[in-house]
Amino acid sequence: MRFIDFQPTPLGCNYANRMATRKKKVRIPIPQPLAALVLFASDRSCCVCQSKGKPIQIHHMDDDPSNNEFHNLAVLCLDCHDLTQITGGFGRKLDQEQVKLYRDHWISLVADSRKSREVNIGDSQDAQLQLELVTSLAEIDLEKGDLVALASLYDEIGNIELRDKYIEKAIADGVPDDTHCYLRASLQGRPDLIPAEVASKVRETLTVGPSASKTQLARHLLDMGDPTHALKCYLEGILESLESGNEFSAGFYLNEVFEKDIVQALFLRSLGKFREEGDLWWEIRTLEELHWQDELKITIQANRKKIEESGNPFLRKYLAQADDDKGGYLQTRKEIERAEVRMTDPETGVSYIGYDFPDNDQ
Ligand SMILES: [Zn+2]
């Protein structure tokens, strides 16, 4: 049986390039802004022992003091740094791979803990302030006779009843087509209530003519329940921003792609498709990408017979994990490692990982 990994890994390309251009190790001081960034990302703490307050230094993971790339720099305390310098003897050297693992893990921990400390005024737990804010904003909107703003405001605070009351009122009074779509699809989540001609007019206006906008079209498509085309438009809009040098706009819409959970929407669609096709492998991979651990475990165990009969070591590895069968897990990992073959496409020179398993048809 032969499986080809679905993600070809171009091995060695970067390494070879670097070796070709690198003759002598010359120490180049790390520019101040980069050093500041590295220290901030690591919270000025050693990424290996994570101790606070120890003297630290910035370490070049590949031992090349001229390679001042962010991804090559790790904050280490002097003790841990010494461990990277062991040559011979019985001490266990802290090698580049290990430092990289520690560093990536620590950086993500620091980032997570910063995120959880962030305070957002909009989500303020201060109920009194919240109430005062909503009441005064609603008053202003009422004075202006802005029913759309009122509906948005009530949507924001989760008052569905008042939201829907003002949506009906606004639509009865007459609103532009794009606003109609916004109220029904974006606020109410009911694109099915939008008359077909209204939806198609909005789509056309955002596609061609002076009001055409990739990112506005993306929002509209997403509201209308089409995440696949929405993402395509978002990416086209982001590309346009990058090409015209508008990095803020590119970052802004990229943030929106993640905030609106488009990635999850894509995986949900994939999940439905793979389930319909009865494709267990991709169903499992999709559940994994969704981080649905319980669902993953249930699916794997429900397909026990199918997995055992398939002889597929990757599936058996999942089964062992789901069963918490440590021996089985170790066994399949070894099997996979043994079968792993590094191959190079003779025409393109691109390397990838393939698997060559002994046939299992007993
Ligand atoms: Zn340390």
Side-chain angles (χ1 to χ4, degrees):
M1 228 185 320
R2 174 169 283 213
F3 297 97
I4 299 296
D5 195 8
F6 46 89
Q7 256 183 346
T9 327
L11 290 164
C13 308
N14 293 331
Y15 182 69
N17 287 345
R18 284 266 311 283
M19 290 311 280
T21 54
R22 185 173 110 187
K23 295 193 184 77
K24 215 169 77 188
K25 293 178 178 180
V26 185
R27 178 167 295 276
I28 301 173
I30 302 170
Q32 187 48 39
L34 177 63
L37 195 63
V38 171
L39 291 169
F40 178 76
S42 211
D43 207 19
R44 298 190 64 89
S45 306
C46 171
C47 65
V48 175
C49 65
Q50 303 173 4
S51 320
K52 296 256 170 216
K54 278 172 98 172
I56 43 170
Q57 68 178 86
I58 298 179
H59 168 65
H60 292 83
M61 289 193 277
D62 66 354
D63 278 327
D64 175 358
S66 71
N67 182 13
N68 287 335
E69 271 179 72
F70 182 81
H71 294 287
N72 189 43
L73 301 171
V75 176
L76 292 179
C77 70
L78 304 183
D79 298 330
C80 292
H81 186 261
D82 283 349
L83 296 176
T84 67
Q85 303 300 312
I86 294 172
T87 51
F90 295 106
R92 180 135 179 99
K93 184 182 156 110
L94 183 61
D95 64 24
Q96 189 181 334
E97 265 70 26
Q98 294 173 57
V99 175
K100 195 178 162 0
L101 287 172
Y102 278 116
R103 186 197 96 116
D104 291 350
H105 179 63
W106 178 238
I107 284 183
S108 75
L109 283 183
V110 170
D112 284 349
S113 86
R114 284 202 181 109
K115 217 189 216 163
S116 64
R117 289 200 304 265
E118 258 175 37
V119 179
N120 188 341
I121 275 291
D123 302 333
S124 169
Q125 295 301 305
D126 189 333
Q128 186 56 40
L129 174 70
Q130 191 83 344
L131 186 68
E132 223 178 291
L133 185 67
V134 172
T135 318
S136 26
L137 294 184
E139 224 167 274
I140 295 171
D141 291 339
L142 259 177
E143 250 169 55
K144 290 195 296 184
D146 191 341
L147 303 180
V148 177
L150 268 172
S152 305
L153 182 64
Y154 286 121
D155 179 69
E156 210 177 305
I157 60 162
N159 190 327
I160 306 299
E161 221 182 304
L162 283 176
R163 176 195 76 186
D164 289 350
K165 178 183 147 186
Y166 285 108
I167 286 179
E168 294 309 330
K169 244 174 118 83
I171 289 176
D173 283 4
V175 286
D177 289 339
D178 57 346
T179 308
H180 189 145
C181 288
Y182 164 74
L183 292 171
R184 286 288 189 223
S186 188
L187 290 193
Q188 277 185 311
R190 293 295 305 272
D192 53 302
L193 297 179
I194 301 170
E197 69 274 13
V198 172
S200 76
K201 246 194 265 169
V202 169
R203 197 173 165 154
E204 205 188 308
T205 316
L206 295 175
T207 307
V208 285
S211 297
S213 156
K214 294 274 186 221
T215 43
Q216 293 303 318
L217 180 60
R219 284 176 173 167
H220 172 72
L221 289 169
L222 192 63
D223 287 343
M224 298 301 288
D226 189 351
T228 308
H229 286 114
L231 181 59
K232 188 172 168 279
C233 291
Y234 266 121
L235 294 178
E236 284 170 0
I238 289 165
L239 198 60
E240 277 173 9
S241 300
L242 288 175
E243 278 164 353
S244 62
N246 193 342
E247 283 153 337
F248 177 86
S249 168
F252 178 86
Y253 286 109
L254 205 50
N255 254 350
E256 193 165 297
V257 165
F258 289 107
E259 278 159 11
K260 295 202 173 202
D261 269 343
I262 298 182
V263 179
Q264 164 141 333
L266 296 180
F267 282 128
L268 285 174
R269 286 194 149 193
S270 308
L271 185 65
K273 198 179 76 183
F274 294 135
R275 280 192 170 158
E276 210 169 286
E277 292 166 356
D279 189 332
L280 182 60
W281 168 258
W282 286 109
E283 183 183 339
I284 290 175
R285 284 291 297 109
T286 310
L287 288 169
E288 222 180 7
E289 294 299 323
L290 281 165
H291 304 291
W292 287 4
Q293 297 307 328
D294 294 342
E295 182 89 14
L296 181 65
K297 194 171 169 177
I298 292 166
T299 304
I300 291 167
Q301 289 177 332
N303 285 281
R304 179 179 304 280
K305 200 158 176 272
K306 197 170 164 186
I307 291 173
E308 280 165 354
E309 282 169 358
S310 76
N312 181 328
F314 292 98
L315 285 175
R316 282 193 285 113
K317 183 193 81 179
Y318 280 118
L319 183 60
Q321 273 173 302
D323 289 347
D324 203 18
D325 166 11
K326 294 187 180 69
Y329 176 72
L330 196 66
Q331 176 65 33
T332 47
R333 282 300 300 266
K334 277 157 65 182
E335 226 173 284
I336 292 167
E337 191 74 15
R338 243 178 253 126
E340 202 172 282
V341 195
R342 273 158 219 289
M343 297 187 241
T344 308
D345 186 312
E347 272 175 37
T348 61
V350 173
S351 30
Y352 56 92
I353 295 176
Y355 296 92
D356 202 352
F357 292 103
D359 278 326
N360 269 27
D361 347 280
Q362 299 98 336

